[in-house]
Amino acid sequence: MVSRVIPVDPFDLVIFGGTGDLARRKILPGLYRRFLAGQMPADSRIIGAARAELDDAGFQKMVAEAIAEFVPAERQDKAAIKAFLDRVGYVSIDAKGTGGWDALKSRMRENVVRAFYFSVAPALFGDLAERLHSHGIADAWSRIVVEKPFGRDLASAKALNAVLAEHFDEHQIYRIDHYLGKETVQNLMAVRFANILFEPLWKAEYIDHVQITVAETVGVEGRGAYYDKSGAMRDMVQNHLMQLLCLIAMEPPYHFDPDAVRDEKLKVIRALDAVKPEDIVRGQYLAGGGQGGYLEHCEDPNSRTESYIALKCHISNWRWKGTPFYLRTGKRLRSRASEIAITFKEPPHSIFDDAKGWRENVLVIRLQPNEGMNLMMMIKEPGPGGMRLMQVPLDMSFADALGADAEDIPDAYERLIMDVIRGNQTLFMRGDEVEAAWAWADPIIAGWEARGDRPQGYDPGSSGPEDALMLMHRDGRRWREIKG
Ligand code: BG6
C-alpha cells in the first residue's frame, strides 16, 4: 500500500531556469504528477523565470510539451493538464540586471509558501539570492532550492555557502541531491532503523565489506563540455555515492529529524580516512558499438577526466574500523544497475563437512532498476545427498510486494519538491555536509592531478577497467556482477 497523499500548503514556486533541461525533464513533469495525485493544492502557482522573452501562454505551451514528452501516456489526462497549466505563469528575468524583478514581485501572493528553485549555473546563485532580497521578494519564510554541482572543490563550495548565507538562513536552503529522493534510498533508513534484525550485526565485527555500485549505460555525449571539467569523482562520488555510504554507515539518529539525521551523516564523512593512490582506479570508456569514446565525446583528445572510478575507503570509528567500503561508478557500462551489497563474515566455526558449498551472507539493496532487497542465505541442498549447503536468495522486489501501487511512488524530484514546500530538510544536504565531502574528495583529486595519472581505457558495455577487478582481487574479494 502506498501511503495516502497528504496535500501540502498552497505555494508559489518560482523556477529560475524554467526553460532549461532539468525543468523540462524533471521539475515541471514532476509537479504535474503531484497535481494529478492531488498533492499540489489548486491555489498554488508555478512561475517560470528565465531570460527567454516568453509570455504566460508561450511558457504554458512549453510546459505542455514537456508533459507530453516526459510523462507516461497513461498519466496524461487532458482536463488535469489544462487545470495544471492554468496555474503556470512566466516572467522574463535578467538574473544579473534589473529587468523582470518588479514583474516577478507583483506575481507573488501573501500568505502562501514562497519557494525559489535555482535551476541555473551556480555562478548565478549569488545574483539571484541578492535580487530576491533587494526587491523584497523573499522573506524569512521563503525557501531556495539549489541544484548540484554545489561547488567543484572545498573552496568553491565554501564560497557558494557564504554567498547564500548573506541572504538566507541555513533552514531556508535546500541543497538537492536527487539520490536522497529515491524511494529505495530512503528505505535504507527504514530497513536499518525500523528492524532490530540487522543492527546487532551492523559493524566491522560481522561485516566483511560493503560494495556500492552505480553503473550507467549512458555516455557523456551532449554534456561532454560540463562533464570534462567534473569527472565521475565530482559528478557522482562526492555527492550521490557519498550519501549512500552515509546512510549505510551512520549511527541511529535520536529521531527522524532533519538535523539529527544530518548530524549523523556528517560524522561519517568526517571519519573517512584519506584514500591511498593504490586504492583508486580511474577509467575512460573507449569507442565501440558504433559510438565514439570518451575522448571524442568530451572533444579533448588529451583529457584525463575519468568516466569511471572505483575506490576503496575506510571509516575510522568504532563501528567500522577494519571494514572496507568499495565504491564504483561509471558511464557506458554493461547495464544500468545501482545497488549496495553488504557482505557478512563467515560463521566462527563450521559444523558441516561441506565447506565448499559455503558462501557468504550478502544483503543486496537494489536501488534501480527492479528496486528491492535480496538476502543471500545458506540452506541445505534439497534431496537425499546428505548435508550439502547451497546459497539461495530471500527475495523482496518492491514491484511484487506493492503491486500496482509501486507505479504511484513519486520520483525523486517530485518527492523532494514536496518536502521543500513542507519545510522538511531531512533529505537535503546541509552546508557543512557538502563542505566535509569536498574536504575528503579534494586531496584525492589533487593527488592524481599532481601525479599526472591517466585513466585506463575500458570497453563500452564492460564492467570497467581491468585494474578495478584487481582492486578487489588483491584483497581476496570480488565485485558483484553488474546486472540490470
Ligand atoms: C546526475 C549526474 O547527478 O546523476 C549524471 O550528473 C548521472 O551524470 C545522473 O547520469 C544519474 O542519476 P540517475 O537518477 O539516473 O541514477
Side-chain angles (χ1 to χ4, degrees):
M1 259 279 287
V2 172
S3 54
R4 210 158 44 87
V5 169
I6 302 172
V8 294
D9 289 336
F11 59 85
D12 280 349
L13 171 67
V14 179
I15 307 171
F16 292 107
T19 54
D21 197 50
L22 182 73
R24 288 182 56 254
R25 279 174 188 278
K26 295 285 184 188
I27 305 173
L28 292 161
L31 284 162
Y32 162 71
R33 279 187 42 135
R34 289 297 91 210
F35 181 73
L36 190 64
Q39 194 167 24
M40 175 178 151
D43 51 347
S44 298
R45 298 282 176 278
I46 296 159
I47 301 159
R51 218 168 10 187
E53 292 290 343
L54 285 176
D55 56 11
D56 286 349
F59 187 61
Q60 285 166 358
K61 183 163 171 283
M62 200 210 86
V63 177
E65 285 162 6
I67 293 172
E69 190 173 351
F70 297 110
V71 173
E74 66 276 13
R75 307 252 156 191
Q76 295 191 22
D77 176 306
K78 265 196 176 161
I81 294 176
K82 180 169 180 318
F84 178 72
L85 293 177
D86 284 346
R87 285 154 183 87
V88 171
Y90 183 81
V91 174
S92 169
I93 210 141
D94 178 3
K96 287 186 164 293
T98 51
W101 289 96
D102 289 338
L104 179 59
K105 185 173 184 186
S106 69
R107 294 282 183 113
M108 308 303 294
R109 297 169 302 155
E110 296 301 322
N111 302 321
V112 296
V113 173
R114 288 184 186 181
F116 302 94
Y117 200 126
F118 292 8
S119 180
V120 296
L124 294 177
F125 288 179
D127 295 303
L128 295 181
E130 191 276 322
R131 280 161 182 72
L132 283 173
H133 267 276
S134 59
H135 288 82
I137 300 172
D139 56 26
W141 293 275
S142 303
R143 289 125 219 213
I144 56 170
V145 186
V146 292
E147 267 297 327
K148 75 175 264 273
F150 200 84
R152 66 181 319 275
D153 53 19
L154 178 58
S156 52
K158 276 189 169 168
L160 279 180
N161 276 335
V163 89
L164 294 179
E166 281 177 31
H167 306 286
F168 292 93
D169 286 340
E170 183 62 33
H171 76 265
Q172 298 177 281
I173 305 173
Y174 290 72
R175 295 176 196 77
I176 282 213
D177 182 314
H178 78 280
Y179 266 59
L180 287 176
K182 291 184 191 267
E183 189 69 19
T184 359
V185 175
Q186 295 166 55
N187 215 352
L188 283 176
M189 282 187 275
V191 167
R192 283 200 56 200
F193 303 129
N195 296 290
I196 190 66
L197 198 62
F198 298 115
E199 179 52 26
L201 303 178
W202 211 258
K203 51 174 106 159
E205 200 181 342
Y206 296 109
I207 294 184
D208 178 73
H209 73 279
V210 176
Q211 294 184 23
I212 302 180
T213 300
V214 178
E216 297 184 277
T217 50
V218 291
V220 303
E221 52 277 50
R223 54 198 290 255
Y226 150 76
Y227 191 91
D228 202 46
K229 291 196 201 73
S230 169
M233 182 71 177
R234 289 188 170 101
D235 185 51
M236 297 292 288
V237 178
Q238 184 272 348
N239 37 73
H240 305 324
L241 276 81
M242 176 65 78
Q243 290 296 324
L244 300 179
L245 178 133
C246 285
L247 297 179
I248 291 293
M250 71 199 242
E251 295 301 316
Y254 73 88
H255 190 247
F256 190 56
D257 155 280
D259 276 323
V261 170
R262 296 184 303 172
D263 285 347
E264 295 306 335
K265 288 197 292 165
L266 178 62
K267 287 184 207 162
V268 174
I269 306 174
R270 289 197 172 144
L272 278 169
D273 287 346
V275 177
K276 299 191 194 119
E278 62 269 29
D279 291 340
I280 304 166
V281 177
R282 295 190 312 135
Q284 273 178 350
Y285 60 84
L286 301 167
Q291 299 205 43
Y294 179 78
L295 294 178
E296 287 140 86
H297 288 159
C298 79
E299 295 175 14
D300 174 4
N302 295 313
S303 170
R304 294 185 180 188
T305 303
E306 74 287 352
S307 62
Y308 174 100
I309 187 166
L311 56 83
K312 173 166 80 166
C313 54
H314 288 276
I315 302 170
S316 275
N317 63 18
W318 275 35
R319 189 186 282 268
W320 293 115
K321 188 77 188 171
T323 295
F325 283 69
Y326 297 90
L327 316 185
R328 67 177 161 164
T329 181
K331 306 263 183 216
R332 296 225 58 203
L333 296 175
R334 179 172 299 150
S335 311
R336 178 170 188 255
S338 301
E339 63 167 42
I340 298 169
I342 293 138
T343 300
F344 291 85
K345 290 187 173 167
E346 292 182 41
H349 164 71
S350 173
I351 62 167
F352 303 111
D353 295 333
D354 180 25
K356 268 192 266 151
W358 186 82
R359 297 278 175 280
E360 306 100 335
N361 293 133
V362 187
L363 174 65
V364 183
I365 301 159
R366 292 278 303 184
L367 305 180
Q368 60 192 29
N370 314 325
E371 291 86 342
M373 288 190 349
N374 234 308
L375 180 59
M376 306 304 291
M377 306 263 303
M378 297 309 299
I379 61 163
K380 176 188 168 297
E381 193 179 278
M387 181 53 93
R388 288 181 197 279
L389 302 176
M390 67 181 285
Q391 194 185 41
V392 291
L394 261 180
D395 214 343
M396 202 278 276
S397 132
F398 284 3
D400 291 348
L402 300 175
D405 279 349
E407 287 161 25
D408 285 334
I409 294 175
D411 103 331
Y413 277 92
E414 295 172 39
R415 157 79 205 231
L416 293 173
I417 296 170
M418 291 300 107
D419 278 359
V420 172
I421 308 300
R422 279 197 203 98
N424 186 336
Q425 289 186 307
T426 311
L427 300 176
F428 295 83
M429 292 178 297
R430 213 167 49 192
D432 50 4
E433 237 184 295
V434 179
E435 289 185 14
W438 281 122
W440 172 80
D442 273 4
I444 301 176
I445 298 170
W448 72 57
E449 283 178 353
R451 291 189 300 275
D453 291 354
R454 277 195 176 279
Q456 200 185 11
Y458 61 92
D459 288 326
S462 69
S463 47
E466 286 290 309
D467 284 0
L469 301 180
M470 290 311 298
L471 180 70
M472 290 287 258
H473 282 183
R474 247 179 19 212
D475 296 345
R477 302 184 173 107
R478 60 180 192 287
W479 291 108
R480 287 171 49 79
E481 200 185 328
I482 295 179
K483 272 200 293 209

